[in-house]
């Protein structure tokens, strides 16, 4: 019973391409998050959304944008992919009425060549 | 800047021993504390959370919180090779966001 689904497990893109990473959750959670995880740097928040069409920048939003047109779907967009965006990307969601942490998706390993 | 500090390890313990993982945090207003386990190449999975000072036990896992010292720990009793993973400490302050430590890598040797 997968609850947070990321559309791709592995992705290879070329420098300069526009890249879409998709995340869908079926738990009716209000909050959704995008993190990237790099060795030695840990998990860093890129963007989060607390409602449809609402978004807020995280710690490292440069080079990224997001879209949340429906409650269950939160997309991360790399406007023009660069090699320093090669990373593991993790989507997570959480409810607002019960604070017991995030549920993570399985992650997308993105390589930009 | 809210910070969460963990020893990066690696922490190596023999099978059957107690593994002790530690975490300190900078924001005194932090309210909720989480431990996630992450196997290599996988995403983090929640194993424990704690809100109140003291101990919280769940099977072989015990989370300990001391807000005065801004310290949270995770004890794993009777460690198994399957416990070998990176353990992430996460702290929630006054918003919906979690701040994560960089993780401690645990190896349990058979």
């Amino acid at each position: 019973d997968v609850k947070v689904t990321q559309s791709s497990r592995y992705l290879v893109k070329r420098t300069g391409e526009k890249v879409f990473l998709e995340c869908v959750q079926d738990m009716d959670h209000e909050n959704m998050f995008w993190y990237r995880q790099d060795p030695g740097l840990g998990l860093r928040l890129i963007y989060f959304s607390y409602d449809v069409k609402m978004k807020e920048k995280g710690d490292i939003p440069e080079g990224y944008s997001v879209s949340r047109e429906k409650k269950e779907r939160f997309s991360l967009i790399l406007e023009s992919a660069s090699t320093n965006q090669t990373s593991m990307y993790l989507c997570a969601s959480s409810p607002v009425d019960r604070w017991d942490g995030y549920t993570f998706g399985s992650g997308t390993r993105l390589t930009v060549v | 800047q809210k910070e969460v500090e963990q020893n990066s390890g690696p922490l190596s313990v023999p099978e059957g021993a107690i593994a002790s993982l530690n975490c300190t945090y900078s924001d005194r207003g932090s309210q909720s504390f989480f431990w996630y386990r992450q196997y290599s190449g996988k995403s983090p999975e929640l194993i424990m959370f704690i809100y109140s000072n003291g101990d919280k036990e769940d099977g072989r896992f015990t989370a300990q919180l001391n807000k005065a010292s801004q310290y949270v720990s995770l004890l794993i009793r009777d460690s198994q090779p399957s416990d070998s993973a990176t353990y992430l400490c996460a702290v929630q302050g006054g918003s919906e966001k979690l701040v994560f430590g960089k993780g401690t890598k645990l190896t349990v040797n058979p």
Side-chain angles (χ1 to χ4, degrees), chain A residues 57-70:
Chain A
K57 292 180 181 178
D59 300 318
I60 51 163
E62 297 78 19
Y64 303 94
S65 62
V66 290
S67 173
R68 192 164 181 202
E69 297 296 319
K70 293 184 178 181

Side-chain angles (χ1 to χ4, degrees), chain B residues 5-76:
Chain B
E5 300 287 340
Q6 297 180 252
N7 288 329
S8 60
L11 174 66
S12 184
V13 300
E15 184 173 356
I18 295 175
S20 178
L21 304 161
N22 304 314
C23 173
T24 59
Y25 58 95
S26 62
D27 182 9
R28 190 169 284 278
S30 298
Q31 300 167 355
S32 307
F33 307 86
F34 302 84
W35 284 100
Y36 285 83
R37 177 177 62 202
Q38 186 175 25
Y39 293 113
S40 180
K42 303 293 186 182
S43 62
E45 56 178 328
L46 181 68
I47 53 173
M48 291 282 294
F49 59 88
I50 186 168
Y51 304 142
S52 304
N53 276 329
D55 295 358
K56 179 181 178 182
E57 188 175 315
D58 183 1
R60 296 187 296 111
F61 298 94
T62 299
Q64 299 175 316
L65 175 61
N66 184 326
K67 289 187 178 181
S69 299
Q70 295 176 240
Y71 177 91
V72 59
S73 66
L74 179 70
L75 300 178
I76 306 174

Side-chain angles (χ1 to χ4, degrees), chain A residues 9 31 33 35 37 40-43 45 48 56-57 59 88 90 94-96 99-102 104-107, chain B residues 1 32-34 36 38 41-46 49 51 86 88 92-93 95-103:
Chain A
R9 188 73 180 94
N31 299 322
F33 307 84
Y35 284 83
Q37 186 175 32
L41 297 177
L43 280 156
L45 180 64
F48 80 100
E56 192 168 312
K57 292 180 181 178
D59 300 318
M88 168 69 91
L90 291 162
S94 70
V96 295
W99 185 240
D100 53 7
Y102 296 167
F104 281 93
S106 57
Chain B
Q1 180 78 355
S32 307
F33 307 86
F34 302 84
Y36 285 83
Q38 186 175 25
K42 303 293 186 182
S43 62
E45 56 178 328
L46 181 68
F49 59 88
Y51 304 142
T86 296
L88 303 174
Q92 183 240 346
S95 73
E96 305 287 342
K97 294 176 283 185
L98 291 180
V99 179
F100 287 85
K102 294 180 181 179

Side-chain angles (χ1 to χ4, degrees), chain A residues 61-80:
Chain A
E62 297 78 19
Y64 303 94
S65 62
V66 290
S67 173
R68 192 164 181 202
E69 297 296 319
K70 293 184 178 181
K71 188 176 184 180
E72 66 270 20
R73 185 181 297 269
F74 191 35
S75 302
L76 180 69
I77 304 155
L78 285 66
E79 298 291 344
S80 177

